[in-house]
Structure formats: C-alpha cells, structure tokens
Amino acid sequence: QAQLVESGGGSVQAGGSLRLSCAASGYSIRYNYNCIQWVLQAPGKEREGVARIYTMSGTTYYAESVKGRFTVTQDNAKNTVYLQMNSLKPEDTGTYYCAAAIGVGCADLRYWGQGTQVTVSS
C-alpha cells in the first residue's frame, strides 16, 4: 500500500531553516509517481502548492512566495523527497503535506501524507 510520511517540522524564529522529509513506502518515488508536491495549509487559508519535483527528470518548480528560499530534492536510494526551507518567514507557518501524483502532470494528487507542522515566529 502506497504511503507518504512527512517529518522534520518544528518551531523556528524568522530567518531560520528547517528540512522536511517525505518518506515513501509501497511505491517507488521515481518509477511509480510522476510528481511529488509540497503543499502548505496556512491558518485560515486554502492549501497552496509551494514546491514540486517531477521525479523521473528531477525538474522542479516553486511558488513565487518561496522561490530562492526553498529547495526540493529527492533521494531515490532512500525513496524520500526533501524540502529545504531557508530564510523562513512567519507567513511560512502552517501544516506542510507532501502529495504524489501518478498521472500526467501534477494535478491529480492521489496520495497524501499526514502533514508536519511548521511554526515561524517573528
């Protein structure tokens, strides 16, 4: 059974860094998923995709709000996708989910993790 498990969240001050992990089991991130996306659920806001990686090519995309500060990478040997978050801002606060798509593109996010909380204080 396909499963995604996030970890690495926590509380940091503005300007700090965190690295989130999304460990996949049941499916290979490279061969079974087309795309893995990090999605932020900020308090009182709709979910927003902040970064994604197309796992066969390694191509990445970022929301404007995180461009230059966040980096998404994958480790095929560990079957894990990471989100390195630097220069964190209070508006980065929320629950971060990793989600995987198996079809073309990254719109059909079929599998979701349980989320990990990130709190950035000013």
Side-chain angles (χ1 to χ4, degrees):
Q1 183 177 357
Q3 189 175 17
L4 301 171
V5 178
E6 303 96 333
S7 61
S11 297
V12 296
Q13 290 192 328
S17 298
L18 285 172
R19 188 177 80 155
L20 306 184
S21 299
C22 172
S25 61
Y27 278 1
S28 163
I29 61 170
R30 185 176 185 189
Y31 296 111
N32 294 122
Y33 295 133
N34 184 53
C35 170
I36 292 181
Q37 183 160 202
W38 286 98
V39 178
L40 167 61
Q41 176 78 70
K45 296 185 178 181
E46 293 188 357
R47 288 182 176 182
E48 174 195 12
V50 297
R52 65 181 184 266
I53 185 165
Y54 290 88
T55 53
M56 183 61 74
S57 66
T59 303
T60 57
Y61 292 95
Y62 300 93
E64 285 298 321
S65 59
V66 307
K67 200 171 288 185
R69 300 187 298 121
F70 290 11
T71 303
V72 58
T73 58
Q74 67 186 79
D75 184 330
N76 295 329
K78 294 183 178 180
N79 215 31
T80 299
V81 171
Y82 301 97
L83 184 67
Q84 178 67 44
M85 306 188 296
N86 298 328
S87 302
L88 282 161
K89 303 176 180 180
E91 51 264 42
D92 297 321
T93 293
T95 302
Y96 284 77
Y97 299 89
C98 65
I102 60 174
V104 175
C106 207
D108 183 16
L109 296 171
R110 190 75 57 87
Y111 301 99
W112 290 75
Q114 82 289 349
T116 186
Q117 177 68 33
V118 171
T119 302
V120 184
S121 57
S122 57

